[in-house]
Amino acid sequence: MKQNFCKHYKGDCFPPTNRYCRVCPDAEPFCNRLWEKVLELSNSNGGKPVALPKTRAVMLPNNNEKDNHNIVHLKINVTWNLTKEDYLHYISTGHARMGRKEQRKDPFVSPSLTRQEPYVHSITELLGGISNPLVLDVQKKQLEK
């Protein structure tokens, strides 16, 4: 995880601070608005899987009440979580690779240490691409001082 992927991130890349995006007071309106679009996309097929182009994966909504707004599910053969912080880290850095606990500060590794590429790229494309105004607004917010 790139520790300075966002000017608003407060943490050391280790749990629980690697999940800071979930409680960030600066997430409104841009980061939360973009993440809300990811949540809407996960629900866009009436609870059925949403195919992610150029991958074998599908995206599913998270129906668990406890963490409903911070996680969506991805599935190929098994189901895993795509978290809000993994997605926002990808928006900032272009990377969300798998890693081991000793690689937490590797800037190419996702905050959750799970492999989210190329799935996050596909989700971004479904939302209008990296030049989508919502994505550009988040990137600008992540860089502001």
Side-chain angles (χ1 to χ4, degrees):
M1 171 182 181
K2 185 175 180 181
Q3 191 167 355
N4 62 352
F5 80 98
C6 178
K7 293 289 184 182
H8 306 284
Y9 173 71
K10 292 174 177 49
D12 60 4
C13 302
F14 292 88
T17 65
N18 63 326
R19 298 182 290 271
Y20 182 75
C21 294
R22 300 180 191 194
V23 297
C24 178
D26 297 300
E28 259 325 307
F30 302 111
C31 295
N32 286 349
R33 191 176 303 149
L34 179 60
W35 180 248
E36 192 63 38
K37 292 295 182 188
V38 173
L39 295 174
E40 288 173 13
L41 180 62
S42 76
N43 281 297
S44 67
N45 201 15
K48 295 178 185 172
V50 176
L52 298 179
K54 299 182 183 177
T55 76
R56 296 180 331 161
V58 295
M59 182 169 54
L60 299 158
N62 179 13
N63 294 320
N64 179 346
E65 291 292 322
K66 181 181 174 198
D67 245 343
N68 196 17
H69 293 326
N70 295 310
I71 296 170
V72 295
H73 297 292
L74 301 177
K75 181 178 181 180
I76 296 179
N77 294 324
V78 297
T79 303
W80 72 96
N81 296 335
L82 169 62
T83 63
K84 180 179 182 180
E85 57 273 6
D86 283 354
Y87 187 71
L88 294 173
H89 182 271
Y90 166 77
I91 292 300
S92 175
T93 66
H95 302 289
R97 296 184 188 158
M98 184 170 70
R100 294 187 170 83
K101 64 181 179 181
E102 60 273 2
Q103 295 175 296
R104 285 210 178 267
K105 292 194 176 185
D106 181 327
F108 298 99
V109 170
S110 72
S112 69
L113 304 178
T114 55
R115 178 177 177 244
Q116 305 294 5
E117 292 179 52
Y119 319 110
V120 286
H121 179 74
S122 185
I123 291 166
T124 304
E125 288 301 311
L126 287 172
L127 295 176
I130 204 74
S131 60
N132 174 335
L134 284 174
V135 172
L136 296 174
D137 285 344
V138 169
Q139 290 173 332
K140 183 178 177 185
K141 180 75 170 174
Q142 290 171 330
L143 294 173
E144 76 182 9
K145 296 184 181 195

